[in-house]
Every structure is written in C-alpha cells, then in structure tokens.
Amino acid sequence: MGSNDRRTLSRWSYNYFRLGEGLPALPVLERLTIAEYLCCTESDVVALLDPALSHTITETIDGKLLLLANRFSFDVHEVFPLIAHVSADLDTGLFLKSLFRQPKLF
C-alpha cells in the first residue's frame, strides 16, 4: 500500500469507530458510509454507495444529524452509550457532535 492508501484506510477506520454504537443493525458498508458522511466534507465512499447523501455532505453537523434522524432514525445519543454517566457540567450535545471531528494534532 502506498501512503495515500494507508491514509485513506486510517481515515475510514477512525471514522467508522467514531460512529460508536450508532445504527448497530445496519451492515458494515452502510455504517462506514454514514460515518464518512458525518466526519467528512467530501468522500468517494459516500458518492459511490449513497449518492443522495453525497449531495448534502457539505452541510453542517446539525444539518447532517437532522437528515440522518429523518432517514435512518439516527439518534446521536446512541453513539456514546455512557453519555448519561458524564458530568452534568459537560454540554452533552456539543460533546457528541465533537466526536465526528478529527482533532488537530501538532
């Protein structure tokens, strides 16, 4: 594998695991497509496997979550099942949305 292949595979892996426990009944490729949709602003996987989602991939995370809730009954609170046990001081909505962003590393 070349460096681009390794980078792509790494992105797919991280994005897939960022979906956590969300939509567990869906097949792996569908979950990967949804994870890519949530985490990226462009994706060949989404374009190939779900062109309807591809048209809205540049939406904000709020727009994407709303679209997925309507289409797949996706509940962002299922992504991190221990969310009920975190500190009350934590804004759980912001925390759950942040899971779909790659943190910057220096």
Side-chain angles (χ1 to χ4, degrees), residues 6-82:
R6 290 191 308 270
R7 200 174 9 258
T8 299
L9 184 57
S10 175
R11 187 188 82 230
W12 288 350
S13 299
Y14 280 112
N15 289 348
Y16 182 82
F17 285 106
R18 281 188 178 100
L19 191 57
E21 298 292 318
L23 302 171
L26 293 180
V28 171
L29 275 178
E30 225 172 321
R31 292 186 79 226
L32 174 62
T33 304
I34 291 168
E36 278 279 292
Y37 174 73
L38 284 170
C39 298
C40 300
T41 55
E42 67 178 68
S43 169
D44 292 336
V45 171
V46 178
L48 178 67
L49 298 177
D50 197 332
L53 282 182
S54 184
H55 296 302
T56 60
I57 200 165
T58 57
E59 282 284 327
T60 64
I61 190 68
D62 291 320
K64 290 178 178 183
L65 291 172
L66 181 62
L67 187 139
L68 292 175
N70 291 333
R71 184 168 168 195
F72 296 101
S73 299
F74 179 72
D75 181 5
V76 72
H77 293 91
E78 292 175 355
V79 170
F80 186 69
L82 300 175

Side-chain angles (χ1 to χ4, degrees), residues 85-105:
H85 303 289
V86 299
S87 170
D89 296 334
L90 181 69
D91 183 337
T92 57
L94 286 176
F95 171 72
L96 290 169
K97 291 175 193 174
S98 76
L99 296 176
F100 301 113
R101 253 187 235 118
Q102 166 106 19
K104 294 188 181 203
L105 299 174

